[in-house]
Amino acid sequence: MPVLKTLTPNERWSSLSAEQSDWEAADAKKLASMLSGLHLIRAFEEKVLDLVGEGLVHGPAHSSIGQEGGAVGSALALRADDQVNGSHRGHHQFLAKALQYVSPGGIDPASPVTTDTRDILYKTLAEIMGLAPGYCRGRGGSMHLRWIEAGGLGTNAIVGGGAPLALGAAFAHKFANTDALAVTYFGEGAINIGSVLESFNLAAAWKLPVLFFVENNRYAVATHVDEVTAEPRVSARGPGFGIPSWHVDGMDPLAVMLATEAAVRRIRSGEGPALIEVDVYRYFHQSGPLAGSAFGYRSKQEEADWKKRDPLELVAAKMIKRKLITAAGVEALRNASVQVMSELAAELTEATEGNKRKVRQSLWPSPDFRDVGIRGDLSELNGVRTEEQSSFKGRLENRKFVDAIADVIGRRMETDPRVIVLGEDVHRLKGGTNGATRGLKDRFPDRVLGTPISENAFFGLGTGMAMDGRCRPIVEFMYPDFMWVAADQVFNQAGKARHMFGGDSSVPLVLRTKVAMGTGYGSQHSMDPAGIFATAPGWRIVAPSTAFDYVGLMNSALKCNDPVLVIEHVDLYQQTMPVAVDDMDYFIPFGKAAVRRTGSRATVITYLSMVHRTVEVAEELGLDIEIIDVRSLDRASVDWATLSDSIKKTNNVVVVEQGARGTSWGGWIADEIQRRLFDWLDQPVQRVTGGEASPSISKVLERAAFVGKEEVVRALREYVA
């Protein structure tokens, strides 16, 4: 007979509730601040819905009315140096943290509106309305609120998208040897998404100081939690990842505060993450001023039952019972909160004919602010020493390309303690799968971090580290195809963060990856990512074809305050090339192409390993062509001066790439050349690319899928002739 033994998780799963004795023992100032915060946030959200009803809020406005208890209760357990992020329904969380930040001694119900409080409410409302005085200058709106000074890391429109970023903030706190922590708020719908579950695992494995705070309001838009999971008590997920978890009535802000205090004690002691699930209820639909019952997915009776448990009424009743406030005092607090919001709405709007109002014209952002801050201005690179191999005065010696990678990263880790390397197996195998991090783990054991196989989590962690500013992460994707499993964090988060949050948020992150065509790894490990990243705002892209260039471009990437993709190629790793001796400190600037061969019949534009193949073909065939190694491939950094000078001389352009045609970089550059330089072209821009299909495992089919020397020979003979 088989023996069946019941197993239990290593961490506990508990339910916590507040008793009358807890209310009697609660600090009077904290209760006063709790009630004040609840009323200020409720009045704020009501005014937002009023403005939505008048058509004065463009886009969604996800009201938190009914859910204030979770945000206010948890914020009271945090310090000023703790940080929070949230999801699309994040007004209450942002406000709760901000109000506590400017009111370290608490908020007095008798005078809840101070100059600082008023400023927070004004800027937040302006942001939700898309106006220039907002925290993100109108770009973020309702779903993207960031005030880093107060610990507001930024709310997020992608469900679950903020969890990996909070891990990065938590890592930065731990790395800086503080006991501060990060809180990431999200709803029960997000707890089933991969980025959140990956974050649970990584946070627990690395004992990161992060609190996962789940507001279970029962509905993902109109779908009930019972419909999408067999365990609707979603805090059950925590112990499975080794995370202690609490289940709390979120309509009781004191219970929430007590649970958060317990979780925070554990986190600050260095024991790792915690999870709190609070049961709350949004009184309105997913977005806008109508009730959910108006859309038929829940009943009016259900809504009425939950409204009887309003956290504002609960806290007021408990305080009145303790004689900490009177009913008249509660009414005065309510009136003051409503009054300040009416005043702020009046400051942001103006009357029109027919007793209507409109947004004040002077408060809209200027249309010419549209593209400002997609990337930084590169002023951080002012004054650096630049070099080119052709004019370098120092000593050179031949070394393998891959060794230059390890050497320059090691040099930067020596000189900048903020540089941290993370990725799968970067700490093993004598420098990862190709040796590019050789020796770094031995030299910097706490700064070379092997990660779980969870690109969403560890890349998002890297982005959060970068946005914090105390770290400069180098993240490695073993193969560029893996970007697809982390696409939200790569493109929606890292790439858009600076612009989305108003143009000032630096994201100093380097993403390394390699093109591996020809190695037999098939269609899911062989792509060239340049074309995809070139379409994504915010990213810079470099693709060094020589070891000397790699050193200079990596130094620029690590100095830059934008996310930078550094593309490598397996064909180059073992090639021996000139490398500077005892000089890993020079820079090659973004936006500077290199003319590898001069000529007059055609301009050949290429990068990475195809530079060498193209030069080889030109020499063998004796072609009078100019070959330009673009080196910088993003829209902001292409060296149009060098390209234009060459094209005006040759009047013919050939773009040579190795990879598949559909995702290639050459499509947009060819289009841009024809727009900018049409009158100088004798024929359309010609392109040399692989086929539509990705490379296959079969050696024959793989070779047929990408461009090699033979295809370059054939194309140049045809196009140049």
Side-chain angles (χ1 to χ4, degrees), residues 236-295:
R237 310 287 200 280
F241 289 93
I243 301 175
S245 301
W246 285 262
H247 184 260
V248 186
D249 177 7
M251 308 302 273
D252 181 345
L254 179 62
V256 175
M257 186 183 78
L258 295 173
T260 307
E261 288 175 343
V264 164
R265 282 194 297 271
R266 170 196 161 88
I267 295 169
R268 294 203 202 283
S269 70
E271 296 181 64
L275 186 153
I276 295 175
E277 173 193 6
V278 298
D279 288 329
V280 293
Y281 197 80
R282 56 171 164 83
Y283 291 174
F284 291 87
H285 180 51
Q286 167 77 354
S287 177
L290 298 178
S293 56
F295 297 86

Side-chain angles (χ1 to χ4, degrees), residues 136-158:
C136 303
R137 298 173 180 161
R139 283 182 176 158
S142 174
M143 298 184 287
H144 306 290
L145 298 167
R146 175 177 165 90
W147 185 26
I148 194 65
E149 180 186 334
L153 297 170
T155 54
N156 206 296
I158 301 298

Side-chain angles (χ1 to χ4, degrees), residues 473-476 508-512 554 557-558 562-566:
I474 303 174
V475 181
E476 178 184 309
L509 174 145
V510 171
L511 172 60
R512 288 183 50 246
M554 176 56 81
L558 284 171
D562 297 320
V564 182
L565 173 67
V566 179

Side-chain angles (χ1 to χ4, degrees), residues 46-303:
E46 289 173 341
K47 183 53 63 178
V48 169
L49 293 184
D50 286 347
L51 295 170
V52 169
E54 295 180 51
L56 298 176
V57 175
H58 184 62
H62 303 95
S63 169
S64 64
I65 293 177
Q67 299 188 195
E68 302 95 337
V72 171
S74 58
L76 283 166
L78 303 179
R79 296 192 318 225
D81 59 343
D82 296 326
Q83 296 176 310
V84 305
N85 73 10
S87 64
H88 57 285
R89 193 179 313 283
H91 304 167
H92 55 322
Q93 300 146 6
F94 177 83
L95 287 171
K97 184 66 170 72
L99 291 170
Q100 290 302 316
Y101 175 75
V102 300
S103 308
I107 307 174
D108 184 357
S111 54
V113 181
T114 65
T115 301
D116 287 338
T117 299
R118 186 185 182 93
D119 189 55
I120 289 169
L121 298 172
Y122 176 79
K123 287 183 177 179
T124 308
L125 186 59
E127 186 58 46
I128 290 169
M129 295 174 71
L131 304 180
Y135 280 103
C136 303
R137 298 173 180 161
R139 283 182 176 158
S142 174
M143 298 184 287
H144 306 290
L145 298 167
R146 175 177 165 90
W147 185 26
I148 194 65
E149 180 186 334
L153 297 170
T155 54
N156 206 296
I158 301 298
V159 173
L165 302 175
L167 264 59
F171 181 95
H173 290 313
K174 186 175 182 178
F175 183 69
N177 293 315
T178 78
D179 67 346
L181 58 90
V183 182
T184 181
Y185 294 93
F186 49 88
E188 84 290 339
I191 208 163
N192 299 316
I193 203 166
S195 59
V196 171
L197 300 175
E198 288 182 26
S199 296
F200 286 176
N201 181 68
L202 183 54
W206 288 7
K207 293 190 179 300
L208 296 178
V210 60
L211 172 60
F212 298 101
F213 196 99
V214 190
E215 292 186 332
N216 187 345
N217 68 15
R218 301 294 187 274
Y219 293 93
V221 187
T223 302
H224 196 275
V225 64
D226 290 344
E227 300 177 66
V228 295
T229 180
E231 176 50 276
R233 300 168 302 171
V234 296
S235 48
R237 310 287 200 280
F241 289 93
I243 301 175
S245 301
W246 285 262
H247 184 260
V248 186
D249 177 7
M251 308 302 273
D252 181 345
L254 179 62
V256 175
M257 186 183 78
L258 295 173
T260 307
E261 288 175 343
V264 164
R265 282 194 297 271
R266 170 196 161 88
I267 295 169
R268 294 203 202 283
S269 70
E271 296 181 64
L275 186 153
I276 295 175
E277 173 193 6
V278 298
D279 288 329
V280 293
Y281 197 80
R282 56 171 164 83
Y283 291 174
F284 291 87
H285 180 51
Q286 167 77 354
S287 177
L290 298 178
S293 56
F295 297 86
Y297 60 85
R298 64 190 194 192
S299 68
K300 292 183 178 180
Q301 184 60 53
E302 177 184 306
E303 292 172 342

Side-chain angles (χ1 to χ4, degrees), residues 461-680:
L461 177 142
T463 302
M465 290 163 60
M467 293 179 69
D468 176 88
R470 287 174 288 186
C471 302
R472 285 189 173 259
I474 303 174
V475 181
E476 178 184 309
F477 281 175
M478 195 179 291
Y479 293 91
D481 310 66
F482 299 173
M483 72 177 181
W484 295 120
V485 298
D488 170 52
Q489 295 299 317
V490 171
F491 300 117
N492 272 327
Q493 311 300 342
K496 294 179 180 177
R498 177 191 285 274
H499 184 267
M500 183 170 67
F501 290 127
D504 298 326
S505 300
S506 297
V507 189
L509 174 145
V510 171
L511 172 60
R512 288 183 50 246
T513 193
K514 62 176 182 279
V515 177
M517 292 179 210
T519 61
Y521 271 77
S523 63
Q524 294 176 335
H525 286 66
S526 302
M527 76 175 296
D528 174 352
I532 300 298
F533 275 82
T535 68
W539 279 90
R540 297 189 186 273
I541 311 166
V542 295
S545 67
T546 72
F548 188 95
D549 284 4
Y550 189 96
V551 172
L553 289 169
M554 176 56 81
N555 283 334
S556 291
L558 284 171
K559 186 81 170 174
C560 181
N561 287 331
D562 297 320
V564 182
L565 173 67
V566 179
I567 310 175
E568 302 159 11
H569 201 297
V570 293
D571 287 355
L572 300 175
Y573 280 155
Q574 299 305 314
Q575 288 190 28
T576 300
M577 302 180 185
V579 177
V581 177
D582 298 327
D583 186 358
M584 292 281 137
D585 298 332
Y586 62 87
F587 292 75
I588 291 176
F590 298 110
K592 181 65 175 174
V595 179
R596 301 300 185 191
R597 186 176 187 274
T598 59
S600 61
R601 293 287 306 280
T603 298
V604 178
I605 300 170
T606 189
Y607 59 94
L608 279 179
S609 62
M610 297 311 294
V611 172
H612 303 278
R613 288 196 176 95
T614 306
V615 170
E616 181 183 357
V617 168
E619 296 293 338
E620 289 181 3
L621 299 182
L623 299 175
D624 182 17
I625 61 175
E626 188 146 292
I627 299 173
I628 298 179
D629 180 355
V630 282
R631 299 197 295 197
S632 294
L633 283 76
D634 59 274
R635 291 179 182 270
S637 305
V638 168
D639 184 355
W640 284 107
T642 297
L643 293 183
S644 297
D645 288 347
S646 179
I647 293 167
K648 289 177 181 179
K649 176 176 65 174
T650 67
N651 309 119
N652 291 286
V653 181
V654 182
V655 181
V656 177
E657 299 173 87
Q658 186 182 35
R661 191 173 188 86
T663 56
S664 75
W665 176 80
W668 88 263
I669 198 70
D671 174 74
E672 195 69 20
I673 288 169
Q674 289 173 160
R675 292 175 186 277
R676 291 176 181 241
L677 298 161
F678 180 81
D679 290 341
W680 295 91

